[in-house]
C-alpha cells in the first residue's frame, strides 16, 4: 500500500487532528505527517501535535499559507477545525479534505449542531468532504449519522457528533491512500 505525505491545518482544540495522528502512529493509516499548521498561536492542538513529535508551524497570515505549503508539497491537506476559508489559489492546487459536524449539504457554516437543534432535526451527523471554493461545499466522501434527542443541548449533540468525526476522518483518509478515492484539484 502506498504511503502519502499529509499536512494538517488546525485553529483550536485539535481533537480530529489527534485522532488522525493516533491512527497514523498506530499504523492504521499509512501516512507521514509533514507538519501541523495553525493560524492561531494559542491553539491547544499545537501542544498535542508536539507530544506526537510532529513539526508545528504557526502562520496567522492566510496570504503566506501557500508559500508555507509549497515547502511541504503534501499529497493531502486535512482541515481539522481550521476556521478560515482557503483562497482559490490553494483550493485549486492541493487535494484537501475537511470534516464538518453536520450531514452536508444541511447546516453548513458555523454552529452546525445548534442549527440542527433549531431545525428540530431528528438526525444529524458529520461529513468528510473534499474542499472546493466555498464554505463546506465539495464532493462528499463519508458521512456518519447520530440521533438528535429532545434533551440535547448544542454541546451534548456536538460531543456525540465528534465521536463519529474521529472515526470517519481516518476512514476517509485511508480510502484515499488505498486509491478507493481520487481527486484532481479543481
Ligand atoms: C469539529 O467539530 C469539526 O467538525 C469542525 O470543527 C470542530 C473542530 O474540533 N470543523 P477539533 O478542533 O478537531 O477538536
Amino acid at each position: 500500500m502506498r504511503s502519502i505525505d499529509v499536512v494538517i491545518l488546525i485553529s483550536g482544540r485539535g481533537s480530529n487532528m489527534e485522532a488522525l495522528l493516533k491512527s497514523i502512529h498506530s499504523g492504521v493509516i499509512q501516512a507521514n505527517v509533514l507538519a501541523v499548521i495553525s493560524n492561531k498561536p494559542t491553539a491547544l492542538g499545537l501542544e498535542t501535535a508536539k507530544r506526537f513529535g510532529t513539526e508545528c508551524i504557526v502562520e496567522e497570515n492566510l496570504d503566506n499559507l501557500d508559500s508555507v505549503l509549497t515547502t511541504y508539497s503534501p499529497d493531502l491537506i486535512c482541515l481539522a477545525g481550521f476556521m478560515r476559508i482557503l483562497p482559490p489559489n490553494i483550493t485549486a492546487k492541493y487535494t484537501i479534505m475537511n470534516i464538518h459536524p453536520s450531514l452536508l449539504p444541511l447546516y453548513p457554516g458555523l454552529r452546525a449542531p445548534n442549527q440542527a437543534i433549531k431545525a428540530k432535526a431528528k438526525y444529524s451527523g458529520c461529513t468528510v468532504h473534499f474542499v472546493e471554493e466555498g464554505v463546506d461545499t465539495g464532493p462528499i466522501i463519508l458521512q456518519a449519522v447520530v440521533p438528535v434527542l429532545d434533551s440535547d443541548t448544542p454541546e451534548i449533540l456536538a460531543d456525540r457528533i465528534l465521536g463519529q468525526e474521529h472515526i470517519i476522518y481516518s476512514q476517509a483518509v485511508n480510502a484515499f491512500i488505498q486509491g478507493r478515492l481520487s481527486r484532481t484539484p479543481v
Side-chain angles (χ1 to χ4, degrees):
M1 196 196 305
R2 68 178 177 147
S3 176
I4 62 164
D5 289 334
V6 177
V7 165
I8 304 175
L9 268 53
I10 64 168
S11 297
R13 175 180 59 180
S15 70
N16 278 288
M17 171 210 72
E18 183 173 6
L20 289 174
L21 289 174
K22 278 185 180 158
S23 295
I24 289 165
H25 280 249
S26 65
V28 170
I29 298 181
Q30 302 288 315
N32 176 31
V33 179
L34 302 174
V36 167
I37 303 175
S38 173
N39 66 313
K40 297 257 187 210
T42 53
L44 285 177
L46 288 171
E47 295 311 313
T48 311
K50 282 180 199 153
R51 281 207 304 277
F52 279 86
T54 308
E55 182 160 308
C56 292
I57 307 280
V58 174
E59 181 50 73
E60 294 180 83
N61 186 347
L62 211 54
D63 292 338
N64 296 337
L65 189 58
D66 188 29
S67 69
V68 176
L69 289 170
T70 302
T71 64
Y72 291 106
S73 194
D75 301 304
L76 177 68
I77 296 173
C78 292
L79 307 187
F82 184 67
M83 300 304 287
R84 301 292 303 274
I85 296 167
L86 290 172
N89 65 314
I90 292 182
T91 54
K93 189 165 160 189
Y94 297 98
T95 301
I96 308 170
M97 285 185 192
N98 182 42
I99 180 109
H100 182 77
S102 77
L103 296 172
L104 290 173
L106 288 174
Y107 320 132
L110 295 174
R111 292 180 284 280
N114 303 47
Q115 295 185 52
I117 288 174
K118 260 196 187 154
K120 300 193 186 317
K122 292 292 172 208
Y123 295 93
S124 190
C126 48
T127 303
V128 182
H129 64 98
F130 285 119
V131 172
E132 297 181 334
E133 260 190 90
V135 177
D136 302 321
T137 58
I140 288 171
I141 301 165
L142 267 182
Q143 294 186 308
V145 178
V146 304
V148 182
L149 307 180
D150 290 344
S151 55
D152 276 350
T153 61
E155 293 73 25
I156 289 172
L157 177 58
D159 263 6
R160 188 177 306 124
I161 293 171
L162 194 65
Q164 295 301 310
E165 293 183 35
H166 295 165
I167 296 168
I168 68 167
Y169 212 168
S170 294
Q171 291 175 339
V173 172
N174 240 343
F176 179 74
I177 293 169
Q178 291 167 359
R180 288 187 279 127
L181 287 176
S182 64
R183 174 77 175 152
T184 310
V186 285

